[in-house]
Amino acid sequence: MKTSTLSALSAMFAGLTLAHPVEVAKRASGLSEVDITILQFALTLEHLENTFYLEAFNTFQLQDFIDAGFSEAFFENLQFISLDESTHVSVLEAAIESAGAAPVLPCQYNFPVTDVASFVTLSAILESIGTSAYLGAAPSIQSSSILSVAASIMADEGLHTALQRSSIGAIGSPDPFVTPLDPNSVFTLAAEFIVSCPSSNPPLPFTAFPGLAVSGQQCFNEVGIATSAIEAAVTATATSSASYAILTDAASNSTASNSTTSTSAAATTTAAAKLRVRQDNSTSTSDSSTTTTSTSTSTTTTDSSSTTTTDSSVSSATDVSDSSSSSSSSCTPPSAGSSIQLMPDVSSSKKDLKDVTELFVTFVEGLNIISVGVKIDGSSISSGMSVEIPAGVFGQVYIFITLVDLSGKSFSDSNVLFGPAIMEVAPALPSLGL
């Protein structure tokens, strides 16, 4: 399908979707404070994704994707994904307005995109975070009509995730379950890309965790958070603490029912198979210890209209090979049993860890929650923590440092000290009994 044909189809679908926000708005009258908070948070994320794609298409053209080794068909799929994100924004804005609230406006963003490869890689990560955000919020939604809309958007984001992951050489759906992610974790990850937001935006009742980064080889340009006070960028306050309490309570209740599944999944995981991907060395950057570590530092300045975070990011732009992309070198994500080094952002933590002798590295993926105990010297935790990746996690994995062992339990963000870091873990080849 040629680009001109695609543009005509996009215009047609844009016209067809105009009725959708109106229908959703009819269902949104009389929403609870919790539902409005969830919709505002969802809109915050959709604004981010929508801007991410619009900026990319203002920067890169079809030929840029072809030169990077991607197909025209993939480029066309990306345009439809961009249209989806724009429609999600319109639907959520209409629902919030019909409930009598002012929708949050787009923020200013800083995406670590240097070329087509880094754009595609980051898009796969963002789509997966979005899917996990909708799933994590679902148990807290009180309106059945809004739940249906949110579930529909979540399914769409899941389709985006599978397509994007496949395009960079990863398994599109490595786990039979999507990872539900709590609001504070999603907030922490999203705030990494936010420079400032309009002062008129209503505050969100979430707080960013102190950051955590993975040192060493990473294949998918995973986000490594190292940030102090990034929650200020989106004007987080305690004004809606009641709403957040309901959100977190609902999330805890829903996660508890998953503990049996988590234990079973961990027990049945076999030896990990190698997942081949490609990395473009010409755009990779390095520091004194490793060539593929992704880190960032933040400083904050405030004026009368907004709170601004200046973000300086170091990232490796990856071009991953499958039928629609190619490169000259390869990278294999770590698998179960591999050792990784975690670097917590101790400077942004308010916890006194001097007398702590053991912490837990908690891996969250799908319905798996697996903690690994690590003996530490609290006075030197800033030098990093080494841990082996446990069996039972694969694909896009979220890593936290927690105070307690959460294995097989419900995830509680009150136990989180640092995180989440994101990394790709090679999945095991399934045994189909053939």
Side-chain angles (χ1 to χ4, degrees):
M1 183 184 297
K2 298 300 181 182
T3 305
S4 59
T5 305
L6 177 72
S7 298
L9 284 173
S10 297
M12 179 184 72
F13 280 119
L16 290 175
T17 58
L18 290 178
H20 294 179
V22 176
E23 293 303 316
V24 173
K26 290 179 180 178
R27 311 178 203 175
S29 58
L31 291 181
S32 68
E33 181 185 354
V34 171
D35 283 348
I36 294 174
T37 298
I38 291 173
L39 290 174
Q40 294 281 32
F41 191 28
L43 180 57
T44 300
L45 301 177
E46 295 292 353
H47 275 315
L48 187 152
E49 287 187 300
N50 186 40
T51 303
F52 174 70
Y53 284 104
L54 292 178
E55 287 186 0
F57 285 122
N58 284 330
T59 304
F60 307 117
Q61 306 302 317
L62 171 60
Q63 191 59 49
D64 297 312
F65 282 83
I66 292 175
D67 292 344
F70 294 93
S71 68
E72 182 176 350
F74 176 68
F75 179 76
E76 292 173 352
N77 271 287
L78 287 178
Q79 289 185 294
F80 277 96
I81 289 176
S82 180
L83 176 62
D84 290 346
E85 304 300 355
S86 176
T87 304
H88 295 166
V89 167
S90 298
V91 167
L92 293 171
E93 285 177 334
I96 293 168
E97 287 174 347
S98 77
V104 294
L105 299 174
C107 300
Q108 296 295 318
Y109 309 99
N110 179 22
F111 300 109
V113 171
T114 57
D115 55 13
V116 167
S118 58
F119 160 68
V120 175
T121 301
L122 183 55
S123 67
I125 295 173
L126 290 179
E127 294 290 353
S128 183
I129 294 172
T131 307
S132 293
Y134 277 100
L135 181 59
S140 303
I141 298 175
Q142 299 175 355
S143 165
S144 59
S145 295
I146 294 301
L147 178 60
S148 295
V149 173
S152 182
I153 295 177
M154 188 197 77
D156 191 49
E157 300 286 356
L159 293 173
H160 296 173
T161 300
L163 174 67
Q164 300 286 41
R165 286 179 57 82
S166 296
S167 76
I168 59 174
I171 302 300
S173 179
D175 192 290
F177 304 99
V178 173
T179 306
L181 211 54
D182 67 284
N184 277 341
S185 296
V186 176
F187 180 86
T188 303
L189 295 170
E192 171 75 358
F193 307 104
I194 296 176
V195 176
S196 64
C197 290
S199 58
S200 60
N201 279 1
L204 295 171
F206 310 120
T207 303
F209 296 125
L212 181 66
V214 182
S215 296
Q217 184 172 352
Q218 297 184 67
C219 297
F220 291 170
N221 189 26
E222 293 89 337
V223 178
I225 309 293
T227 167
S228 57
I230 58 176
E231 64 270 20
V234 280
T235 61
T237 71
T239 56
S240 300
S241 58
S243 297
Y244 180 59
I246 296 175
L247 284 172
T248 52
D249 288 345
S252 298
N253 292 335
S254 66
T255 310
S257 64
N258 296 330
S259 60
T260 301
T261 306
S262 301
T263 304
S264 175
T268 57
T269 301
T270 58
K274 297 297 183 183
L275 173 64
R276 303 303 298 177
V277 297
R278 301 283 183 178
Q279 182 175 34
D280 184 354
N281 285 335
S282 65
T283 54
S284 295
T285 58
S286 62
D287 61 20
S288 59
S289 61
T290 179
T291 59
T292 54
T293 302
S294 173
T295 61
S296 64
T297 57
S298 302
T299 59
T300 303
T301 59
T302 305
D303 61 23
S304 61
S305 61
S306 64
T307 304
T308 302
T309 302
T310 302
D311 187 1
S312 173
S313 298
V314 180
S315 62
S316 59
T318 51
D319 182 7
V320 191
S321 178
D322 65 355
S323 59
S324 61
S325 62
S326 62
S327 186
S328 58
S329 60
S330 63
C331 171
T332 303
S335 56
S338 299
S339 180
I340 58 174
Q341 185 79 6
L342 299 174
M343 302 300 297
D345 183 15
V346 176
S347 64
S348 64
S349 174
K350 298 178 181 178
K351 297 283 187 179
D352 184 359
L353 303 175
K354 289 188 299 183
D355 298 324
V356 176
T357 58
E358 183 180 37
L359 291 175
F360 294 86
V361 177
T362 297
F363 297 80
V364 178
E365 180 275 325
L367 299 184
N368 297 315
I369 301 176
I370 302 174
S371 295
V372 178
V374 178
K375 299 295 182 181
I376 66 164
D377 176 356
S379 62
S380 62
I381 187 176
S382 58
S383 62
M385 303 171 62
S386 180
V387 65
E388 287 189 0
I389 300 172
V393 294
F394 34 81
Q396 185 164 305
V397 178
Y398 300 94
I399 307 174
F400 301 82
I401 294 178
T402 59
L403 286 167
V404 299
D405 185 345
L406 296 178
S407 299
K409 302 175 183 177
S410 60
F411 183 85
S412 172
D413 60 13
S414 63
N415 292 311
V416 171
L417 290 175
F418 304 94
I422 302 177
M423 72 177 301
E424 185 72 16
V425 177
L429 283 175
S431 176
L432 302 179
L434 300 178

